[in-house]
Amino acid sequence: MDKSVNLVVGAGFSGAVIARLLADNGEKVLVIDKKNHIAGNSYDYRDENGIMIHKYGSHIFHTSNEKVWTFLKRFTDFNQYMHKVVAIIDGIPTTIPFNFNTLYDVFPKTLAKRLEEKLLEKFEYNKKVPILEFQKQDDEDLKFLAQYVYEKVFLHYTTKQWGVSPKDVDGAVTARVPVYLSKDDRYFQDKYQGIPLQGYTRVVENILSHNNIEVKLNTEFKKDMLNQYKRVFYTGPIDEFFEYKLGTLPYRSVNFKLETYDREYYQQNSVVNYPCNYDFTRIHEYKYYLNDKSDKTVIAKEYSEFFELGKNERYYPIPNPQNSELYAKYLKEAENLSNVYFLGRLGDYKYYDMDKAILRAIELYEEIK
Ligand code: UDP
């Protein structure tokens, strides 16, 4: 048998990037995906109204990594979109992450000013403070503020999203949305950000478009493929690869309920968070991302739920000590295999953003080339 071909399992960003780097280096690659589309959870499509829908929820590209940016720019141009998130706190639309503008939106001016002054005495301007650290305050006013932010921004949202309170999820999760001692209303401060002009599916298609790459959709990975290829790059769930023999790695899933409205816009912003009310965590309004023109609009209400095999999709690994321990055991098993590499959110069981998944694929390639 000709073992000159590499197998990549999964046609999301991780799989596509590693496949492309190998192909650029003259290697042959077969990419398989069990779904009927490429791009994994970044998959998007234009609906009948001409609106680009992010099937698996809003994806906003952002990075400060030059390597990642240089790589992606080969395959797409980006618009100048800078993501902002509005949250409704006790009926008041304001900015998330909680910052100085939020302070003035939700409190009377004199109180906001006092809190602002105390914050500036204690912290450097522009500092980002994770909520669990922000709660460690001695001053009574700042204690009040920390408790307010904890309750109004994090407690209910995190309980909806993760099924447990912010104290029981890994601190790195809530630290993604810190208290931001700034007037910068953007969700990300990365040097590069934007939405690919023709959508994410097209970017992945462009990455995979190479004479040395063949893509087969609706194709499951089977164990006997291991002996048929030069190397295997597996971006699926690592526990599934090992047939769950050491236990199951849990995930959160998300259910998006789409609604179409006969009006130009539904809400004031692409994403509106509901950290105090309702069972859904946030509402996405997709036409904002590429400024799509239509007299209709499509929104998605996002409901979080546990991942159950066969019922829904894996979205978020759940970082905690118990799951890390189980993942580490699978990793040990993986070390016994030669020429099999795990990567991606599911392969590494890590809450990667798109840029981090791309960087991981680039770094893995550099390691093995
Ligand atoms: N979070 C929150 N309230 C908010 C926004 C975020 O409590 O209004 C917490 C929540 O635990 C969430 C985490 O911060 O899971 C990370 O949020 P991010 O927006 O980065 O999540 P993603 O977009 O990846 O779902």
Side-chain angles (χ1 to χ4, degrees):
M1 185 174 296
D2 173 19
K3 276 185 66 171
S4 64
V5 179
N6 295 276
L7 178 68
V8 172
V9 182
F13 265 110
S14 302
V17 172
I18 193 88
R20 179 64 186 228
L21 293 170
L22 290 163
D24 281 343
N25 196 33
E27 301 216 22
K28 293 243 179 276
V29 190
L30 170 65
V31 180
I32 60 169
D33 200 298
K34 65 180 173 188
K35 286 190 179 156
N36 62 2
H37 63 73
I38 58 166
N41 280 13
S42 67
Y43 175 74
D44 55 12
Y45 62 95
R46 279 204 187 277
D47 73 354
E48 64 277 14
N49 307 305
I51 299 170
M52 188 70 92
I53 308 291
H54 296 192
K55 182 168 181 200
Y56 303 92
S58 290
H59 279 66
I60 295 102
F61 188 79
H62 58 100
T63 194
S64 295
N65 186 285
E66 298 293 336
K67 254 189 211 174
V68 170
W69 186 246
T70 307
F71 178 84
L72 263 195
K73 287 285 285 172
R74 287 171 57 198
F75 306 101
T76 185
D77 286 325
F78 288 82
N79 66 7
Q80 295 199 0
Y81 179 84
M82 290 207 188
H83 193 48
K84 293 182 180 178
V85 171
V86 167
I88 310 292
I89 297 180
D90 291 346
I92 303 163
T94 185
T95 308
I96 293 287
F98 196 100
N99 67 15
F100 286 131
N101 295 327
T102 324
L103 210 56
Y104 282 88
D105 285 341
V106 299
F107 295 126
K109 205 171 162 191
T110 43
L111 176 57
K113 195 161 181 358
R114 191 162 85 230
L115 292 168
E116 184 183 28
E117 282 167 4
K118 288 198 169 176
L119 286 169
L120 286 170
E121 263 168 39
K122 180 151 183 196
F123 299 99
E124 231 169 89
Y125 185 70
N126 256 337
K127 195 170 161 56
K128 292 178 172 171
V129 190
I131 183 63
L132 298 180
E133 191 186 317
F134 192 68
Q135 282 184 300
K136 296 172 193 156
Q137 303 287 354
D138 308 321
D139 179 271
E140 283 308 312
D141 280 338
L142 293 186
K143 240 186 227 169
F144 155 80
L145 174 64
Q147 190 54 24
Y148 180 93
V149 178
Y150 179 79
E151 271 179 37
K152 301 289 183 186
V153 177
F154 289 95
L155 181 59
H156 193 46
Y157 189 104
T158 300
T159 308
K160 285 191 274 187
Q161 169 67 22
W162 297 95
V164 291
S165 91
K167 298 203 159 61
D168 296 316
V169 293
D170 190 298
V173 170
T174 46
R176 289 169 59 93
V177 187
V179 175
Y180 190 22
L181 300 159
S182 169
K183 294 185 87 164
D184 179 349
D185 274 344
R186 296 170 305 165
Y187 207 58
F188 307 111
Q189 278 66 47
D190 284 308
K191 181 167 174 192
Y192 305 112
Q193 44 188 303
I195 310 291
L197 286 182
Q198 293 170 302
Y200 290 96
T201 308
R202 179 63 72 83
V203 180
V204 176
E205 193 182 314
N206 291 345
I207 296 174
L208 289 169
S209 169
H210 190 289
N211 281 341
N212 289 344
I213 300 179
E214 186 191 350
V215 179
K216 282 191 186 162
L217 297 176
N218 304 304
T219 305
E220 292 266 359
F221 170 75
K222 299 239 163 49
K223 267 283 156 68
D224 60 7
M225 293 177 178
L226 284 178
N227 317 317
Q228 296 166 18
Y229 294 91
K230 182 175 172 189
R231 288 174 291 214
V232 174
F233 298 89
Y234 189 87
T235 72
I238 189 166
D239 56 345
E240 187 176 273
F241 179 93
F242 289 107
E243 285 144 356
Y244 307 104
K245 67 178 182 186
L246 303 172
T248 304
L249 286 166
Y251 286 85
R252 291 298 288 183
S253 186
V254 190
N255 182 3
F256 292 97
K257 295 213 167 112
L258 290 190
E259 294 172 7
T260 304
Y261 287 85
D262 257 325
R263 58 191 212 228
E264 208 183 346
Y265 288 100
Y266 176 87
Q267 61 190 21
Q268 69 191 89
N269 193 57
S270 55
V271 176
V272 177
N273 284 11
Y274 288 85
C276 305
N277 306 83
Y278 307 114
D279 292 337
F280 48 82
T281 49
R282 51 190 170 186
I283 300 181
H284 310 252
E285 185 165 10
Y286 292 121
K287 70 193 306 189
Y288 279 107
Y289 290 128
L290 290 170
N291 199 16
D292 297 327
K293 297 295 169 207
S294 168
D295 49 12
K296 294 194 178 82
T297 192
V298 176
I299 63 152
K301 290 182 176 158
E302 177 174 342
Y303 295 85
S304 174
E305 55 194 26
F306 260 114
F307 163 71
E308 287 175 61
L309 198 60
K311 184 187 149 201
N312 49 21
E313 301 283 336
R314 293 174 174 89
Y315 279 78
Y316 298 93
I318 305 177
N320 67 29
Q322 193 189 341
N323 297 340
S324 304
E325 201 179 304
L326 180 55
Y327 166 70
K329 284 187 191 157
Y330 277 119
L331 203 58
K332 266 224 129 27
E333 289 282 316
E335 281 162 12
N336 298 329
L337 303 166
S338 54
N339 298 327
V340 183
Y341 303 90
F342 293 86
L343 67 160
R345 241 193 210 208
L346 309 181
D348 287 337
Y349 197 65
K350 287 210 177 66
Y351 188 172
Y352 289 137
D353 288 335
M354 287 180 284
D355 66 324
K356 298 293 182 318
I358 292 168
L359 183 62
R360 162 78 172 123
I362 293 174
E363 286 178 346
L364 175 61
Y365 172 73
E366 285 171 351
E367 215 178 286
I368 59 151
K369 75 177 175 195

